[in-house]
Amino acid sequence: MANMTKRLHGPSLYYASDKNVFDALNQHKVDTKTIMELFERRNIVVSKKTPRESLAAYFARQIYDYQDHKDIAARLGIAPRRERITSMDVNGKVDHSHLQVAVDQLKVELESSGEVVQVTRESNKVTITVQYSTMDYKVSEFAQRQERDGTIELIKTADGYTVRNTHNEFVDNVAAELITKLEKASETTLSKVTVSLFDVPTAQLRSKFFHELAFKLPGYQQSDVTAVYVFKAKPELHGNDEEDDEDDDTADGETHVERVHLRGRGVTRSEILNELLEKDDYYITKIAWGAREIAGAGHDYDIEATFTNPKDCNGFSFILSGVYPFEDGQLSTRRRPPLKHEIDEISRVVENKARELVTLLREEFKKANAGEEDAN
Amino acid sequence: MAETINIGEIATKLSKEIFKHFLWTKHPKHDDNFKCTNPEHKSDGKEPKPKESHPGDVVFYYNDPYLGKKVYLHTDLKSYAKKSITTSKLRGAFKSLSMTIDCAKESEDWRNKYSVLADEAHDIRGLLFVHNHDNKYTSSFSETISKMDLNNLPLPAGAIIHFLGPDDIQRLYSIGNDIIRLRDEEALPKEYGFYYPDLIMVRRHGDGIRQAATVESLTGPYLILRHGEAANCASGFVIYYNRPGASPEEFEYFLDCLSRYQMLERDQLIRIRVTNGDANDDLKSVFEKAKKKYVKAWGFDPARESILDKMEIERITSVTTTYNPGDMGWRT
């Protein structure tokens, strides 16, 4: 697979060197209590007055086992987090048999490069789960390699399939590869419909997308907006003359606030936000809100939606970050992780609403433009 | 409480039957007190009085391979019946030993008594040895310890206390017996040492021959003994494996440790002797699986694979200690 990351290293578990352990134990995320527990497992009691560095050096000299490794890694907070979801519609003449061929090929290729793949078929849906590992050399040795699960779901629609996947580089690549294989198997070119406002460059319309998404999600009532991220791209300089650039640096161009993050309660009602949006031409690129189910159980869902690329407003993704269940006649104050069927349902309504809004806003932009041209 | 008689006898027996095999030396002085120099050290009870002295049952010592100095283990020998192994009793023992170590580290009296030369680099630590004489204590000592809060002991910065509970003593006694047995079968030469490779941040001191085991490795996950040839074995390593062998991942990690320590070589015999009483019944098949996964993960060639294939894994025979307080007048 050309664009997929090949395995460049040994297995995910490898014996940490004393230097790795020393560095890990010196990180502030590892508290003295954890270090004392590591010692206690070796029948050693150390003084809590001993400087952290000395304790780390002492422990680093010892032989470690798998449990020590897991304990340290867990303390460094690399337990896998739930990831965002992104989706795309692929439309065209494809049927189940094409999909089967593509999925089987993909599975063989992934497995040959050492990933663990599981495929589950239901009546109108195929789910592919890939266990894979990622490397990040920028973080501590213990956190560099992470084992993760990524999922790709293919849901049959009237026009083709909705491809919904965990949003990260690895799984995005696998999904793209799958679509290429699907095109080969069906010998057609599929049209790919993503949620993007690239061709709607008006700030007001881009903000409207998030407003409508949060306030008019069918079947849900907006209960609170807890975060809004606004963006205004740095104005591009015209002309290549260096002297002009220098002028800009010293004059008007010297300050530009590109993004502003607002967090709190009732953020959309705040004056700060409204000023940014109305007077200063900023637009919303990310929003976090509570969506309360109107019918059904009446739970309150914390949803976050964003464009990964704020400038072009593409790479749409979302996450159901938690649920406040409605229990015993009232809304619980304790947030719990979402259940699979809740993620499915929220994904479905968010995707549908987002697609509907994109179509609507494109129309609106065209009309406005046409109106302007007429006026001119 | 004054030390009772026969501590000397017990210490000699322990040394002969357990610690000698780990190449520790016992100081000839037993059951002696040294002066307390800290007025804050007080006895327990309703009217705490400043302590005059601290007790010392026996002192063991060895050269630490990474510190490059002698480690003296000021040892407190306790022998309790099952019902006496309680958190409050243990807390008292830890507290007393903490104060003892606090004083010992800066005591000329201590250094004179235990023949430490003025210019000798050394480290004095505590060792709490908790034996169960009625053999009825079947629970895990580490669980009892984990219920205690040992953070607030009067232990000065840099001070260290090691402890050995009934199950640890049992295990070390069994390892000692295993070494005797292997030597008797000429599957281990008379001379051997414990293996401590150079690390990244610290290098080994000394020539490594006849290196004593460190107290940390007696209670760590693996204890590696290095030996030369004997009539019935090639030179290599005997590894006392003190973990349950619960999953292939656990063994993979262990194999990677051996690889890092440059031990996976063609001419070296590697024998793994599992000491953990709770080890998995399926030990051998779990180990086989780990070897296969490890070979595959690193893409080993057949030559390298055959080195792993030659590794042996066995359980050691567990032997029960028979230290009877009635016979020896052990302090209870």
Side-chain angles (χ1 to χ4, degrees), chain A residues 276-294:
Chain A
L276 287 168
L277 297 181
E278 283 161 23
K279 291 189 193 154
D280 298 327
D281 254 4
Y282 281 84
Y283 58 86
I284 302 178
T285 58
K286 182 174 180 177
I287 190 165
W289 80 99
R292 179 88 188 266
E293 227 172 350
I294 295 168

Side-chain angles (χ1 to χ4, degrees), chain A residues 342-361:
Chain A
E342 293 169 337
I343 298 175
D344 287 349
E345 182 54 24
I346 293 288
S347 303
R348 194 184 60 79
V349 287
V350 171
E351 281 165 6
N352 287 345
K353 185 70 190 173
R355 286 200 183 94
E356 180 196 311
L357 284 169
V358 167
T359 318
L360 214 79
L361 294 169

Side-chain angles (χ1 to χ4, degrees), chain A residues 98-298:
Chain A
H98 300 138
L99 186 64
Q100 207 154 3
V101 172
V103 169
D104 287 346
Q105 277 180 353
L106 183 81
K107 187 169 189 281
V108 169
E109 284 182 25
L110 284 169
E111 280 174 345
S112 71
S113 62
E115 320 298 347
V116 180
V117 187
Q118 261 186 355
V119 179
T120 316
R121 286 173 221 270
E122 287 161 57
S123 57
N124 62 347
K125 187 165 96 173
V126 175
T127 309
I128 304 162
T129 311
V130 194
Q131 266 176 36
Y132 65 101
S133 47
T134 56
M135 290 298 292
D136 182 355
Y137 295 107
K138 293 191 288 296
V139 296
S140 133
E141 181 84 14
F142 275 84
Q144 283 185 1
R145 176 174 284 266
Q146 288 197 36
E147 300 295 318
R148 287 186 183 173
D149 271 348
T151 30
I152 303 172
E153 289 175 332
L154 294 114
I155 303 141
K156 187 78 190 107
T157 61
D159 304 318
Y161 285 96
T162 296
V163 182
R164 186 186 292 160
N165 64 271
T166 318
H167 184 45
N168 64 47
E169 199 190 344
F170 180 87
V171 186
D172 285 349
N173 283 339
V174 176
E177 186 68 33
L178 181 66
I179 294 167
T180 312
K181 288 194 185 324
L182 197 56
E183 286 183 323
K184 264 190 204 156
S186 61
E187 295 176 344
T188 49
T189 307
L190 301 167
S191 74
K192 290 147 208 134
V193 186
T194 55
V195 174
S196 159
L197 293 177
F198 177 72
D199 43 10
V200 183
T202 323
Q204 283 80 2
L205 292 180
R206 285 182 168 184
S207 293
K208 191 176 174 187
F209 172 81
F210 285 101
H211 261 288
E212 301 268 303
L213 190 65
F215 284 77
K216 294 191 179 160
L217 199 63
Y220 298 82
Q221 191 183 14
Q222 181 269 127
S223 59
D224 190 15
V225 176
T226 51
V228 170
Y229 290 42
V230 298
F231 181 87
K232 183 160 85 172
K234 195 175 174 185
E236 279 170 30
L237 298 172
H238 297 291
N240 293 328
D241 197 351
E242 277 184 23
E243 280 177 30
D244 278 359
D245 282 356
E246 276 175 24
D247 284 350
D248 268 352
D249 282 346
T250 49
D252 299 339
E254 72 182 16
T255 62
H256 174 77
V257 177
E258 197 180 51
R259 8 185 134 206
V260 183
H261 299 177
L262 298 112
R263 281 168 176 276
R265 296 181 65 178
V267 175
T268 38
R269 294 195 303 269
S270 78
E271 279 201 22
I272 311 174
L273 178 69
N274 291 331
E275 253 181 53
L276 287 168
L277 297 181
E278 283 161 23
K279 291 189 193 154
D280 298 327
D281 254 4
Y282 281 84
Y283 58 86
I284 302 178
T285 58
K286 182 174 180 177
I287 190 165
W289 80 99
R292 179 88 188 266
E293 227 172 350
I294 295 168

Side-chain angles (χ1 to χ4, degrees), chain A residues 11 14-18 22 36 40 42-45 47-50 58 61-66 69, chain B residues 125 146 151-152 155-156 158 161-163 168 199-201 216 219 221-222 243 253 256-257 260-261 298:
Chain A
Y14 58 94
Y15 190 75
S17 77
D18 55 323
F22 178 75
M36 297 196 60
E40 203 175 287
R42 283 179 160 64
N43 296 28
I44 299 170
V45 182
S47 167
K48 66 172 180 188
K49 293 176 201 139
T50 310
Y58 180 34
R61 290 200 297 272
Q62 313 304 327
I63 289 190
Y64 334 104
D65 69 342
Y66 182 44
H69 189 95
Chain B
R125 304 190 193 159
S146 68
N151 287 344
N152 294 316
L155 209 54
I161 291 181
H162 301 273
F163 57 88
D168 300 303
L199 301 178
I200 293 173
M201 294 175 67
E216 296 90 358
T219 48
Y222 344 118
R243 283 293 178 262
Y253 195 80
D256 206 43
C257 168
R260 280 284 189 110
Y261 283 10
W298 285 105

